[in-house]
Amino acid sequence: MTTPIRIALVGMGKIARDQHVPTIQQDPVFQLVATVSTSGGSVDDLPAFASLEALAASGVAVDAVSLCTPPQVRRAIAHSAIDQGWAVFLEKPPAATVSEAIALRDHARARGTGLFASWHSRHAPAVEPARVWLADRQVLDASIIWAEDVRQWHPGQDWIFEPGGFGVFDPAINALSIATQILPQALFVEGAAIDVPSNRGAAIAADVSLRTAAGAPVHARLDFLQRGRQRWDIAVRTNDGDLLLSDGGAALSINGDSLSVADALHGEYAGLYRRFAEIVPAREVDMDLAPLTLVADIHLVARRTEVDAFDW
C-alpha cells in the first residue's frame, strides 16, 4: 500500500465539500487525487470525472474512494469500485436497503477489498464516555429527540424525500447509530407512526417505540421541521443515575452535572478517516448494519399518515 493513500471523492455535494475535503486535506495519511461528479466541479486543479468508469480508464492511480452520493445510486458505484480493487468508504447510510448493504459486504469480502460503512456520529466526543458509563448499569428507559430544520441542513436536496432517500431518517439514523453504540443491549422496534408529505416519497416526521433486549422502553421523536433550537439529544435513565447525551454527541451530563469532553464535534470525520486508514491496508470489512436495519424495521411496522405537502 502506498503512503499516502491515494483517494478519490465520488459525489461532490455539501457533505463532501464541508467534511470530506477538509478532513482529507488535513490528514497526511491521505492524498486526494481526483473527484467524480455528474454535476461537474472539483477541488483545486485535481482531475475531475463524470463517472467512476471514466476515473478507472484515466490512468490516475487510486487506492481508495469515498462515496458521498445519495444512497439510491451508491450500491452500483461501490460494487464497481470494489471490482477495481479500491477500498471503499461509504457515507451514511451505507446503502438504500439492507440487502444492498449485505451484497456490498459480501462482495468486498469475496474480492479481499476494504469496505467501511461509516457512522460519523459515533465519533462525536461524548459518545465513547457515554458507552463506558452505561456498560455496567441497568437501563430503565431512554428517550431520543432528533429534531432539525431540513431547510437549514439539506437546502433544496430533493433526493432526500425520494424513495430510498430516507427523509427524516437521514439525520435520525445518526441517533440510531449512537443508541446502538452506547446502550448495553440490542434494540428492537415495537411500533412507529411516520408522517409523509402528500407530494413526497419519504417521511418528514416520525414517532417510534423501541425496546432493549432487556425490556427497557426507548421512545424516539424525529422531526424534520424543527424551528428555533435544533435538538439532537439522547436521555437514558438507569438504576444508578441519569445520562444526557446532547448536541449530537458533543456534550455529556450525568445526574445533571456536565462532564468535560474534547470539543471535537467537527472532528467526527477525522475519526472516520483514522479508522479508514486502518481498513485500507488491512483489506478489512467494517460494516455494522444495526442502524440501517432499525430504519428498515421501523418502516415495516409503521403506521403511515399523509400530511401537508412540503416545499422548499
Side-chain angles (χ1 to χ4, degrees), residues 35 42 63-65 72 82 98 123 131 160 170 175 187 222 236 245 253-254 269 286 293 302:
T35 63
S42 186
D63 302 307
V65 294
Q72 295 97 321
I82 292 168
V98 176
H123 290 263
R131 185 197 66 79
I160 207 166
D170 179 81
L187 278 174
L222 317 173
V236 185
L245 192 62
S253 64
I254 305 293
Y269 279 80
D286 183 343
T293 301

Side-chain angles (χ1 to χ4, degrees), residues 171-189:
I173 204 170
N174 293 333
L176 296 175
S177 75
I178 294 174
T180 52
Q181 182 80 352
I182 68 173
L183 293 176
Q185 298 92 27
L187 278 174
F188 301 97
V189 180

Side-chain angles (χ1 to χ4, degrees), residues 60-224:
V60 173
V62 174
D63 302 307
V65 294
S66 284
L67 302 191
C68 306
T69 65
Q72 295 97 321
V73 299
R74 199 171 292 155
R75 186 208 63 81
I77 298 171
H79 191 278
S80 296
I82 292 168
D83 282 342
Q84 293 293 330
W86 300 336
V88 177
F89 178 123
L90 297 169
E91 250 297 347
K92 65 86 189 167
T97 68
V98 176
S99 59
E100 285 188 351
I102 291 172
L104 288 177
R105 181 195 65 191
D106 293 347
H107 188 50
R109 286 174 176 168
R111 296 299 298 264
T113 303
L115 180 66
F116 183 31
S118 69
W119 300 108
H120 68 81
S121 290
R122 288 180 172 178
H123 290 263
V127 171
E128 180 59 15
R131 185 197 66 79
V132 171
W133 190 84
L134 289 169
D136 58 356
R137 288 171 170 84
Q138 178 188 355
V139 173
L140 302 179
D141 56 57
S143 65
I144 298 168
I145 299 177
W146 226 253
E148 64 179 62
D149 186 353
V150 65
R151 292 181 174 92
Q152 175 181 344
W153 299 99
H154 298 275
Q157 296 180 26
D158 284 318
W159 65 265
I160 207 166
F161 285 115
E162 293 294 325
F166 285 68
V168 73
F169 290 95
D170 179 81
I173 204 170
N174 293 333
L176 296 175
S177 75
I178 294 174
T180 52
Q181 182 80 352
I182 68 173
L183 293 176
Q185 298 92 27
L187 278 174
F188 301 97
V189 180
E190 291 199 323
I194 61 176
D195 295 339
V196 181
S198 58
N199 61 337
R200 302 289 178 172
I204 201 163
D207 196 83
V208 183
S209 297
L210 308 103
R211 195 170 294 274
T212 70
V218 179
H219 176 259
R221 180 175 71 81
L222 317 173
D223 188 3
F224 231 168

Side-chain angles (χ1 to χ4, degrees), residues 6-81:
R6 300 164 297 191
I7 191 167
L9 274 177
V10 183
M12 292 304 297
K14 180 176 172 58
I15 195 67
R17 295 187 180 278
D18 289 354
Q19 298 291 350
H20 290 261
V21 170
T23 301
I24 293 170
Q25 289 177 334
Q26 294 166 17
D27 190 337
V29 175
F30 291 93
Q31 179 187 3
L32 185 60
V33 296
T35 63
V36 177
S37 175
T38 57
S39 59
S42 186
V43 177
D44 299 328
D45 296 323
L46 292 176
F49 304 92
S51 68
L52 196 77
E53 291 73 22
L55 170 62
S58 70
V60 173
V62 174
D63 302 307
V65 294
S66 284
L67 302 191
C68 306
T69 65
Q72 295 97 321
V73 299
R74 199 171 292 155
R75 186 208 63 81
I77 298 171
H79 191 278
S80 296

